Amino acid sequence: MLRFLRRTLGRRSIRKHAEKARLREAQRATTHIPAAGDAKSIITCRVSLLDGTDVSVDLPKKAKGAELFEQIMYHLDVVEKDYFGLRFMDSAQVPHWLDVTKSIKKQVKIGPPYCLHMRVKFYSSEPNNLHEELTRYLFVLQLKQDILSGKLECPFDTAVELASYALQAELGDFDPAEHRLDLVSEFRFISDQTEEMEAAIYNAWKECRGQTPAQAEINYLNKAKWLEMYGVDMHMVKARDGNEYSLGLTPTGVLVFEGETKIGLFFWPKITRLDFKKSKLTLVVVEDDEQGKEQEHTFVFHMDHPKACKHLWKCAIEHHAFFRLRGPVQKSSTRSGFIRMGSRFRYSGKTEYQTTKANKARRSASFERRPSRRYSRRTMQNRGEIMSSRLKQLEIENTPVSAPARTNVNLNMNNQEEVVKLIEKSLNSVSSSPVLNQLKAPDELKSNILKAQAEAALKVFSHSHSGVNIHLHSDIWRFVFLKGRVCDLMTTYMAYDINMLMLGILNARSPGTCSNSPACCPVLPAGETTAHKT
């Protein structure tokens, strides 16, 4: 009796716990698609979409992968669905595509809830063949993730052009009154994004004026399809010699990489055999020799895990069927007898040929483009520090190599003429500095107010007979007053926000603070010194 109660109550508590976990998971997701039935007969699947949202779907326990896939495609209103798939990770951290012909519980072992990710499974070799605007939008989202994660390597110029198309599709035409340079820093296009790249994207965005979001996405895809690694599904393998290689599945065949160097390409028509056994993958290729006769070459690769080897084999079978065949291979209706050798896996979806010929664009298909994730903008303080370091680097590059070392000079501060001559010599050398020649202030910026401030400050300095130290900052005007003369020196943000410059007057230094060091007098050439006195 006690055993019966313990078993019954224990099962009830497990069911209640599963029901609570399912409800929590459903509430956490952005969208929940319920199913009829009690918690005992329902499983919960959580799918992460390409736009960053989550969908929680309740299905019967014995539901196959096709039911979940159709629910997601129906939720998104996707017609060209054969380009996409649902991906999950097993306990060995090996990625797998959800097989639509098998039960979900038999494939996804981690759960409930069973977590999957929607991904582009087959990258179209010609994006212009995609009929639906929604399909092209999902392709752009996938490519943006691939570039940001580093899976798809992208040169600087191409990355700038792709980012400008992405901004045009999301924000529309460039408006100088609303869109400033630091707005670009809120987006992430590549992992090592720099200010130089953001400025280039900002300028390229201006040239995209007039493009609609759909046109910008078409331009994005037409540019991305020429990338060397576009649509390449990479898998790490080891050869007999123990060296590591990468096999890349493409619409034309199988690429072989040694590190980042491409060393071979096996075209699909030349591959006569492709099978696996445990962690060993065998590839047989037919090639023509010098006499025109066909010769077979066998390549054997090894992988770290048997499941990873089977995953590579299944992906190769699906790529070959989708891009090379007119229609999928029909499974034989009669099963073999008691003994069955090898896997019965076959690609069951439509091929690219069938998808291109069958699907036609709908007259009206509306959808909402979700905004990208935003990050904090670059602060002016960080930008000033970067520009200051660049200015110091330029000063070092423009300093003559044969210049003598800086020496300290002891001056009699009571001798005003020596101080004046030394300061005049320093000012002349600063004005002829090659670093600051390009940073001269235009004459029209000197207003009468500034001249009045200069004269007032000159009177104060003439009473105290003080010398003045030249000290530049990256965002401030500095004025040096001597014998009724005003010398203006300026450093800029080097093609960044010039409008953010501020105006100020140099304050006198406290006695004993100058050591004639580069940190105190950074603009003086080698061999020159100055002095401070209040």
Side-chain angles (χ1 to χ4, degrees):
M1 185 65 181
L2 292 175
R3 186 183 302 172
F4 171 77
L5 292 175
R6 191 184 301 115
R7 185 174 58 199
T8 305
L9 295 176
R11 289 175 180 174
R12 288 180 181 177
S13 62
I14 292 174
R15 292 172 190 169
K16 290 181 179 179
H17 178 73
E19 177 69 16
K20 291 180 179 179
R22 186 176 65 86
L23 291 176
R24 284 197 303 267
E25 190 64 29
Q27 292 173 357
R28 196 178 305 167
T30 306
T31 306
H32 179 225
I33 303 176
D38 54 358
K40 185 168 60 175
S41 60
I42 287 177
I43 59 173
T44 302
C45 299
R46 186 175 181 179
V47 181
S48 299
L49 305 181
L50 288 169
D51 59 0
T53 59
D54 295 335
V55 177
S56 179
V57 183
D58 292 341
L59 294 170
K61 269 191 173 182
K62 297 182 179 181
K64 295 185 177 181
E67 297 183 41
L68 176 60
F69 183 73
E70 292 295 334
Q71 284 273 20
I72 298 299
M73 295 298 106
Y74 179 79
H75 171 71
L76 295 175
D77 196 20
V78 176
V79 174
E80 297 170 298
K81 54 189 177 183
D82 296 285
Y83 291 101
F84 304 96
L86 300 179
R87 203 167 190 175
F88 65 93
M89 301 288 287
D90 63 8
S91 56
Q93 295 302 307
V94 177
H96 298 275
W97 292 105
L98 184 68
D99 191 346
V100 295
T101 61
K102 293 183 178 180
S103 171
I104 297 175
K105 288 189 65 177
K106 289 184 178 180
Q107 299 180 72
V108 189
K109 300 298 183 180
I110 302 176
Y114 303 100
C115 298
L116 302 98
H117 301 270
M118 179 184 172
R119 292 288 184 269
V120 174
K121 191 174 184 179
F122 304 111
Y123 291 81
S124 176
S125 54
E126 182 51 61
N128 292 320
N129 292 333
L130 301 175
H131 301 297
E132 292 276 330
E133 182 181 344
L134 174 58
T135 308
R136 294 192 292 269
Y137 168 67
L138 295 176
F139 264 69
V140 170
L141 292 180
Q142 181 65 75
L143 289 171
K144 288 168 66 177
Q145 292 182 14
D146 293 344
I147 294 174
L148 181 60
S149 63
K151 177 184 176 183
L152 181 59
E153 296 183 359
C154 192
F156 180 85
D157 295 336
T158 306
V160 168
E161 189 172 353
L162 292 176
S164 65
Y165 291 141
L167 285 179
Q168 180 68 22
E170 182 166 345
L171 302 179
D173 290 340
F174 170 77
D175 185 3
E178 181 181 357
H179 303 137
R180 299 179 58 84
L181 174 61
D182 51 2
L183 174 65
V184 184
S185 63
E186 293 186 8
F187 298 86
R188 291 292 179 271
F189 303 104
I190 60 173
S191 56
D192 53 346
Q193 186 169 306
T194 61
E195 277 192 297
E196 180 184 2
M197 181 181 182
E198 291 171 2
I201 294 171
Y202 187 73
N203 295 327
W205 179 24
K206 301 175 184 179
E207 301 176 0
C208 299
R209 178 177 295 275
Q211 297 181 14
T212 63
Q215 292 173 344
E217 288 165 358
I218 291 176
N219 294 333
Y220 189 101
L221 295 176
N222 287 330
K223 188 67 178 179
K225 72 178 182 181
W226 296 109
L227 293 173
E228 183 180 4
M229 301 301 293
Y230 168 79
V232 179
D233 185 15
M234 299 293 289
H235 299 263
M236 297 297 298
V237 296
K238 290 183 179 180
R240 289 178 176 177
D241 55 2
N243 295 331
E244 289 189 352
Y245 297 90
S246 299
L247 298 183
L249 306 178
T250 67
T252 56
V254 180
L255 286 169
V256 183
F257 291 86
E258 185 176 6
E260 297 182 356
T261 306
K262 182 169 61 176
I263 61 175
L265 171 61
F266 304 138
F267 293 99
W268 290 121
K270 297 294 184 180
I271 299 176
T272 59
R273 179 186 166 198
L274 180 65
D275 58 13
F276 74 99
K277 184 178 181 181
K278 294 185 179 179
S279 298
K280 183 176 71 173
L281 182 75
T282 305
L283 189 68
V284 180
V285 182
V286 176
E287 291 183 354
D288 298 334
D289 58 8
E290 297 178 355
Q291 300 177 356
K293 296 181 180 180
E294 291 186 348
Q295 287 187 347
E296 283 190 352
H297 301 275
T298 302
F299 300 91
V300 179
F301 301 99
H302 295 270
M303 304 193 73
D304 295 334
H305 200 277
K307 290 185 177 180
C309 187
K310 185 176 182 179
H311 172 64
L312 170 57
W313 176 80
K314 291 173 69 174
C315 290
I317 295 296
E318 290 179 327
H319 270 73
H320 175 265
F322 183 81
F323 290 108
R324 295 292 303 172
L325 303 181
R326 291 288 184 95
V329 178
Q330 299 294 332
K331 294 182 180 180
S332 58
S333 57
T334 58
R335 286 191 176 185
S336 58
F338 178 72
I339 300 176
R340 177 174 60 87
M341 300 295 292
S343 175
R344 292 186 306 200
F345 173 78
R346 295 294 183 271
Y347 176 65
S348 58
K350 291 181 180 180
T351 64
E352 186 180 34
Y353 176 83
Q354 291 176 318
T355 303
T356 304
K357 298 298 181 182
N359 293 331
K360 294 183 180 179
R362 291 172 287 182
R363 292 184 178 180
S364 60
S366 60
F367 65 94
E368 180 183 358
R369 290 177 172 85
R370 295 186 62 87
S372 303
R373 180 183 175 184
R374 297 289 189 95
Y375 298 83
S376 59
R377 296 192 181 189
R378 294 187 189 272
T379 60
M380 296 304 300
Q381 181 180 359
N382 295 338
R383 180 174 295 177
E385 293 175 358
I386 295 174
M387 291 301 104
S388 299
S389 63
R390 291 182 182 176
L391 181 60
K392 291 180 180 178
Q393 184 178 1
L394 285 174
E395 292 176 3
I396 294 173
E397 292 175 356
N398 287 275
T399 302
V401 180
S402 60
R406 186 186 302 272
T407 57
N408 293 329
V409 179
N410 296 323
L411 294 177
N412 184 6
M413 299 304 294
N414 296 324
N415 191 346
Q416 183 181 356
E417 294 182 358
E418 290 186 12
V419 178
V420 169
K421 289 180 181 179
L422 183 56
I423 294 177
E424 285 181 348
K425 187 176 181 181
S426 301
L427 290 173
N428 294 331
S429 63
V430 170
S431 61
S432 61
S433 174
V435 182
L436 300 174
N437 282 339
Q438 300 177 355
L439 306 178
K440 290 289 184 180
D443 295 335
E444 58 268 22
L445 293 180
K446 301 175 184 178
S447 63
N448 295 331
I449 299 177
L450 294 177
K451 292 181 179 180
Q453 293 175 348
E455 292 176 359
L458 179 60
K459 293 179 180 179
V460 176
F461 282 113
S462 62
H463 285 296
S464 58
H465 303 287
S466 61
V468 183
N469 175 42
I470 305 168
H471 192 74
L472 294 183
H473 292 281
S474 60
D475 54 2
I476 303 176
W477 288 85
R478 292 302 189 191
F479 291 90
V480 178
F481 311 101
L482 180 66
K483 299 280 185 183
R485 183 178 58 169
V486 180
C487 298
D488 55 313
L489 302 174
M490 179 185 74
T491 59
T492 69
Y493 275 133
M494 304 174 67
Y496 288 93
D497 273 337
I498 300 178
N499 295 328
M500 299 302 296
L501 295 174
M502 301 183 297
L503 302 177
I505 305 298
L506 179 65
N507 295 323
R509 289 275 185 173
S510 300
T513 59
C514 179
S515 59
N516 293 322
S517 61
C520 182
C521 304
V523 298
L524 293 180
E528 299 294 341
T529 57
T530 186
H532 300 286
K533 181 183 177 182
T534 56

